[in-house]
Amino acid sequence: LSEEEIIKLAVDYFDQQDEEWEEQELEHDQNPTKRPRTAKSRRLREAKILSLVYKKIGGSNILKTDGRWLSNEPVCRWYGVVCGHRGQHKAGMKGRNPTPPPDDAVTAIQLNNLDLDGTLPTEFAMMEHLSQLILRNNKIRGTIPPEL
């Protein structure tokens, strides 16, 4: 498959999941104490964010390194994605979200030396457990979102 076909497949998959995810998010936002966000909605949100990031920073180099990006594989198996407490530093635990993350929550993204090019995606700030973002030796421009 070409990169465009892979992106289209990923977009189609997430579009199918959007309605359910948005309904869960809306219910949670309207009454956060009633029911916590489900793990499934968090995982879908993280996969969708990572797919947007892929498109914004020339992710084809990531795909060349590991074909699991934009697949139906759990994002924790995608190249450079670290989940659970393994990606948390003590400083991160004191930061935005001091509660230990679930084992399948994205806590770090390490995409070094991939010749990625583009503006730093602000969508990273939407990943509630992300505490490490390592993009060394790429051509990423922009400022770190204040939410991070």
Side-chain angles (χ1 to χ4, degrees):
L1 294 175
S2 71
E3 182 178 354
E4 288 177 5
E5 291 170 319
I6 291 169
I7 291 172
K8 182 173 180 352
L9 287 173
V11 168
D12 290 347
Y13 171 76
F14 291 118
D15 283 347
Q16 291 171 5
Q17 303 297 321
D18 266 349
E19 188 173 315
E20 179 183 337
W21 175 68
E22 287 173 4
E23 185 177 302
Q24 290 175 358
E25 291 293 301
L26 180 61
E27 184 177 335
H28 180 269
D29 290 344
Q30 289 173 346
N31 190 354
T33 59
K34 181 179 176 190
R35 182 176 62 90
R37 285 189 171 106
T38 65
K40 181 179 178 183
S41 71
R42 177 185 37 75
R43 288 190 301 267
L44 286 170
R45 183 176 60 251
E46 290 173 342
K48 188 169 187 174
I49 291 167
L50 289 172
S51 297
L52 289 170
V53 166
Y54 175 95
K55 287 166 57 173
K56 289 186 174 188
I57 60 173
S60 61
N61 289 342
I62 301 170
L63 198 58
K64 289 176 191 170
T65 304
D66 183 336
R68 290 178 283 192
W69 269 74
L70 304 181
S71 73
N72 288 332
E73 287 277 336
V75 296
C76 295
R77 294 184 184 159
W78 292 7
Y79 178 82
V81 177
V82 180
C83 294
H85 65 278
R86 295 174 298 138
Q88 290 274 3
H89 281 288
K90 290 182 182 178
M93 295 295 285
K94 296 176 187 172
R96 325 187 278 148
N97 196 345
T99 307
D103 286 339
D104 63 348
V106 175
T107 54
I109 298 173
Q110 303 168 353
L111 299 173
N112 300 322
N113 305 309
L114 292 173
D115 202 29
L116 302 175
D117 190 2
T119 303
L120 184 67
T122 58
E123 287 83 3
F124 281 130
M126 296 167 51
M127 300 181 88
E128 62 185 294
H129 296 286
L130 183 66
S131 65
Q132 262 190 35
L133 180 58
I134 304 171
L135 302 169
R136 290 186 191 110
N137 299 321
N138 288 297
K139 299 172 191 166
I140 306 295
R141 298 172 296 285
T143 58
I144 297 172
E147 299 85 0
L148 286 177

